[in-house]
Amino acid sequence: MAKQPPGDRIELVFGSLDMLILRTLRWGATHGHGIAKSIERMSDETLKVEHGSLYPALQRLQQEGWITADWGVSKNNQRAKYYRLTALGRRQLVAETSRWERFVKAVTGVLKSPELEEGQ
Amino acid sequence: MSWRRNLSKFVALFRRPKTMNELEEEIRTHLQMEEQENLESGMSPEDARHAALRRFGNVTLAQQKSLEMWVWNGVEALWQDLGFGLRQLVRSPGFTAVAVLTLALGIGANTAIFQLLDAVRLRSLPVKNPEELTLVHLADLRGKRGSQETGYPALNNPLWEYIRDHQTAFSQMLAWSPTILGITEGGHERPVRALWVSGDFFDVLGVQPVLGRLFSSADDQPGCGGSGVVVSYAFWRDQLGGDPQAIGRTLTIGRHPVPIVGVTRAAFTGPEIGHAFDVAVPICSQAAYWTEGNWLESSTDWWLTVMGRLKPGDSLPIANTRLKSLSPAAFEASLRKDYPTENVRDYLHFELVADSAPAGVSWLRDMYENPLWMLLGLAGVVLLIACANLANLVLARGSARVQELALRLSLGATRRRLIAQLLSESVPLVLLGAVSGLVLARVLSKCLVSLLSTQGDSLFVDLHPDWRVLGFMSMLAVVTALLFGLVPAFRAASLAPSEAMKSGSARAGGMQESGRLRRALVIAQVALSLVLVTVAVLFARTLGNLLTVDAGFREDSILIAQLDLSRLRFPVPRRIAAKQEILDQLRGVPGAEGAAEVRIIPLSGDSIDNRVWGEGADRQSGFDPNFNWIGGGFFKALGIPLLAGRDFDANDTTTSPKVAIVNEEFARRFGKGTNPVGLRIHREATPSEPESIFQIVGMVKNSKYIALRERFRPIVYLSVTQDQSPSPFEQVMIHSTQPVPMLTSEIKRVVGERSQDINVGFGVFKTQIQESLLPEKLMASLSGFFGILAGLLTAVGLYGVISFLVTRRTHEIGIRMALGADKRQVLGSVLRETLLLTALGIGMGLPVTFIVAHLIASMLFGVKPDDPTTVALAAFALCGVSIAAAYIPARGAAKVDPLVALRYE
């Protein structure tokens, strides 16, 4: 896939990073690098995610109990920490997704509404 | 932040280093993977590395932020606050010292008293399953004849033996009785605390030996002689030097060498709370140790405290039903010839009943439980007053920091942080105070215990602080901290920052407070102090009344000598004469102004009573005066005036007509005129004598018999020289102004000349009387101490508040003085304000005072609980204290220079 030039990458809205991480883990356990790559791939590289910013988010998600981590071995025989979605995390993902969709719908609605004219 | 995150952070506190290492490794691996991918897509190694790093972002920042995620803000901030708080405290040593001292006293006193209460009341005996233990006793004492040999409910031995062999109500039973035995070592005999115990005693209680073995039922068989003795751990440690070969060593008890068979564990100090035991011997051995007159076959000596262990699954009512059905057979089988005929029917109708007794029996509990609860209440009030003071003090300090706090609030500090910070000062204070309080409590407890010990009876209480005491103290500390720490904290946090930051006057300190809270606190303090001071005065007056009450006899300069003549083995007919000879020798001792025999020492707690009725009347119409056996010269030695007739003399012997001397109260009750001399009275049969007739030959003035508090009782005195069954013991009261040590050594010498086999023990009458007032002394001194403490604390509180009020009104005072008010008027107005506060406090305190005074009414003597003089005295004292406290700030107010005061807005 063609990579978007760096300047067009969109900053992530605060809090949506959590949702993206959870989404990525929906199909299985991955390590930190794998998550970063998944997000890039899925968004066609539109979303600008500094890999480093994942790690604080990953700590937070662990603390909330939405993901768990275990040490494992990667394809290249490297020791890596694999993250997995928990049942709690799955529920959270559903909740977050629906909230996001409602948010998008609302904002879209405002942006697309016809202009109100005075006196009409 | 959700609770889940908080919890994860808390747990991670203990795994911090591991988290850091893992994170480093993880990020390294991430970078390697990205590098790898870059290489595979054709970048040069150097480019691959740079691209990976660029893609990642700031590695250090990522690490930092990730680690920060795990920082539990609460803990770090708390730590900081505590450090800050401690530094603040160190910076004002005066405040800290006063506060810690106040807290230490308050918490320490409360804990000490609670500790004693816990040991005496709340704890169970340190035995196996104490909740199963019950005390078995007579349901109804009517018609009970004979001697009650112990202060606890007791049965006689035949009854105990029958119950032991036939009962089905309990899984196990035991019996015991406290006594004093003489142990001879190196020619000297000294008394030790002993227990008569049944064979199963230790087994039922689940007491283990630390050396040797303890008794079994085989040890308690009739005719066992002096077969063995069990000693307590303390006795083994102190008197036998902790000898590991102690088993088999002999102790000479009452001239019998008795082998030691075992030593009990340290934790077991006896079945009585308040006394520890030295040695324990089987009940059957009483026949061996007591050369004459043992109680094993007597149904008129009530001496064995009997306890039973409930069967598993049984409840108390079930056990009681079984006891009740056992009773008729038990009493019938235990009746012996010595029981007076006219009460045999009563005896046969007695019933046994059991009460739950997990904490055993305790004279200490019986006598001191109520006073201790009362003292705990008083100590609690003192702590409250101390907290109010501290709250005021902290409020004062806090108000000086109002601007600082307001600034912080406006800069974004949360109220919670602010409160936490303010609390961080009170928490170390309370911790310091609590720890010092704990130390103080140990000292105070020991003092209390030694206060309660008497010359004849040293108190033993196991005072190790158990979880209940520590829990109580922690609770106190927490409540204290909340009480005086939160008040100013909330006050500060409710500031409107803009208000507080209004600029620059010297009055800014505390400006915004109306002082309402502080005044309310002080009024409450005065109210509480009124209660404490009134109670203290009531107890002080009670003690004063008791110390000055006319006992009816001389208390000073009387020595009591107790002689044991049993070893001389005088036959009964010879005894009276022998005792008389010894008495004559005692009378000859230099310095002895009078001496006489007496069976019952007044105010010793002993008593005898028998039914008496007039000639020609019958039993029913009579009454039960108290009795005492005395020798001629008794009234003279004790300074009891003879009002009519004569004293006993040499003519009254066992063969002459029986005579009696009575007191005024007896004459009044007898109802045959004010002078009963010449009249005859019948006395009922006793276990040792048949019904007899006595002629009244004299009347003496009233005197106290059992306790100083009592109303005068009717007393009948009989002559020892007419005693049909004299005992080998002689008790003599000697009036002498000689110093006691000289007197006692003289007496020992004189007695020793007569025979080395006579044991003599001494006691000072006055000391005994004073010791009988121990509970009252305790209440008076401790409540007095609390009263003074409360007064002092309130004075400090008043001082603080009045100073505050004066400072606040400096401006106003300046104006008034500029307008012509003189110093006197200013002084007067301040004092008036003070008195107003005090008066309000007294007014609020009055109803509480009356309630509390009525609660203690039963402990008072010679003064009514609502005695107006006492309350007035207390109120007056408080007014004095408050004026003294307000004097300095008042003077400060009077010294205000109007120019200076008016300069500030």
Side-chain angles (χ1 to χ4, degrees), chain B residues 264-392:
Chain B
T264 59
R265 271 203 215 279
F268 182 70
T269 51
E272 255 189 294
I273 302 211
H275 283 145
F277 78 103
D278 294 319
V279 305
V281 289
I283 289 172
C284 58
S285 55
Q286 196 184 73
Y289 301 132
W290 285 13
T291 46
E292 143 173 357
N294 68 68
W295 298 328
L296 296 173
E297 279 301 308
S298 156
S299 48
T300 51
D301 286 294
W302 306 83
W303 59 294
L304 289 170
T305 302
V306 174
M307 299 175 79
R309 201 181 260 292
L310 285 173
K311 290 185 183 168
D314 263 8
S315 66
L316 196 57
I318 296 180
N320 270 316
T321 321
R322 297 216 187 94
L323 272 181
K324 195 166 164 187
S325 55
L326 181 74
S327 296
F331 287 100
E332 192 175 327
S334 61
L335 186 64
R336 296 288 181 272
K337 285 198 293 285
D338 59 347
Y339 210 83
T341 348
E342 63 264 22
N343 292 103
V344 164
R345 234 178 55 126
D346 293 317
Y347 187 85
L348 294 174
H349 281 103
F350 281 155
E351 274 179 11
L352 294 167
V353 75
D355 294 321
S356 178
V361 292
S362 172
W363 65 272
L364 185 63
R365 186 187 310 146
D366 297 339
M367 192 150 79
Y368 285 105
E369 186 181 352
N370 284 337
L372 280 175
W373 280 114
M374 172 97 248
L375 283 174
L376 188 67
L378 292 179
V381 171
V382 170
L383 188 61
L384 272 178
I385 298 181
C387 286
N389 246 7
L390 283 170
N392 254 331

Side-chain angles (χ1 to χ4, degrees), chain A residues 3-119:
Chain A
K3 288 194 178 181
Q4 288 274 14
D8 286 336
R9 292 206 188 117
I10 300 169
E11 300 267 4
L12 271 182
V13 175
F14 183 79
S16 44
L17 181 57
D18 290 1
M19 199 174 51
L20 293 177
I21 297 179
L22 291 177
R23 177 87 178 157
T24 317
L25 292 176
R26 189 154 169 251
W27 292 287
T30 342
H31 45 63
H33 185 246
I35 295 173
K37 285 301 176 197
S38 289
I39 293 177
E40 282 175 10
R41 228 182 9 254
M42 283 192 292
S43 73
D44 238 351
E45 306 236 347
T46 314
L47 293 176
K48 172 175 160 183
V49 179
E50 275 198 347
H51 289 190
S53 64
L54 280 177
Y55 284 91
L58 284 171
Q59 312 304 316
R60 189 172 55 241
L61 294 176
Q62 275 180 76
Q63 285 172 354
E64 292 281 12
W66 295 332
I67 61 177
T68 58
D70 287 300
W71 283 98
V73 180
S74 75
K75 301 190 291 282
N76 304 340
N77 264 332
Q78 281 160 308
R79 207 169 99 95
K81 208 170 188 186
Y82 279 80
Y83 295 92
R84 199 169 15 99
L85 205 59
T86 61
L88 209 60
R90 226 168 274 275
R91 276 207 292 276
Q92 179 71 11
L93 178 58
V94 168
E96 284 280 314
T97 313
S98 84
R99 190 148 34 101
W100 177 257
E101 282 167 358
R102 275 178 300 165
F103 172 68
V104 166
K105 192 160 161 213
V107 170
T108 318
V110 169
L111 290 176
K112 287 220 171 122
S113 69
E115 286 210 33
L116 291 170
E117 306 217 3
E118 295 262 6

Side-chain angles (χ1 to χ4, degrees), chain A residues 9 31-34 36-37 40 45 47-60 62-66 71 74 76 78-83 88, chain B residues 1-2 4-6 8-9 19 22-23 25-27 29-38 40 52 54-58 61-62 65-67 69-71:
Chain A
R9 292 206 188 117
H31 45 63
H33 185 246
K37 285 301 176 197
E40 282 175 10
E45 306 236 347
L47 293 176
K48 172 175 160 183
V49 179
E50 275 198 347
H51 289 190
S53 64
L54 280 177
Y55 284 91
L58 284 171
Q59 312 304 316
R60 189 172 55 241
Q62 275 180 76
Q63 285 172 354
E64 292 281 12
W66 295 332
W71 283 98
S74 75
N76 304 340
Q78 281 160 308
R79 207 169 99 95
K81 208 170 188 186
Y82 279 80
Y83 295 92
L88 209 60
Chain B
M1 199 184 301
S2 77
R4 242 186 276 271
R5 279 186 75 191
N6 262 318
S8 311
K9 288 190 182 187
T19 316
E22 288 188 355
L23 199 61
E25 192 180 342
E26 222 190 322
I27 293 179
T29 316
H30 183 121
L31 287 169
Q32 278 173 356
M33 288 182 184
E34 184 73 2
E35 218 183 301
Q36 190 72 25
E37 237 180 61
N38 287 342
E40 279 167 17
R54 248 199 330 269
R55 199 80 187 83
F56 193 88
N58 191 334
L61 195 62
K65 279 194 168 170
S66 304
L67 281 177
M69 280 282 159
W70 289 100
V71 163

Side-chain angles (χ1 to χ4, degrees), chain B residues 116-126 130 133-135 151-153 176 270-275 305 307 355-374 452 457 459-461 775 778 859:
Chain B
L116 196 56
L117 257 179
D118 180 50
V120 157
R121 179 84 185 96
L122 303 169
R123 261 196 250 152
S124 310
L125 281 178
L133 289 177
T134 63
L135 181 69
Y152 304 123
W176 62 276
E272 255 189 294
I273 302 211
H275 283 145
T305 302
M307 299 175 79
D355 294 321
S356 178
V361 292
S362 172
W363 65 272
L364 185 63
R365 186 187 310 146
D366 297 339
M367 192 150 79
Y368 285 105
E369 186 181 352
N370 284 337
L372 280 175
W373 280 114
M374 172 97 248
L452 297 178
D457 195 8
L459 178 56
F460 174 81
V461 183
L778 181 75
M859 294 193 232

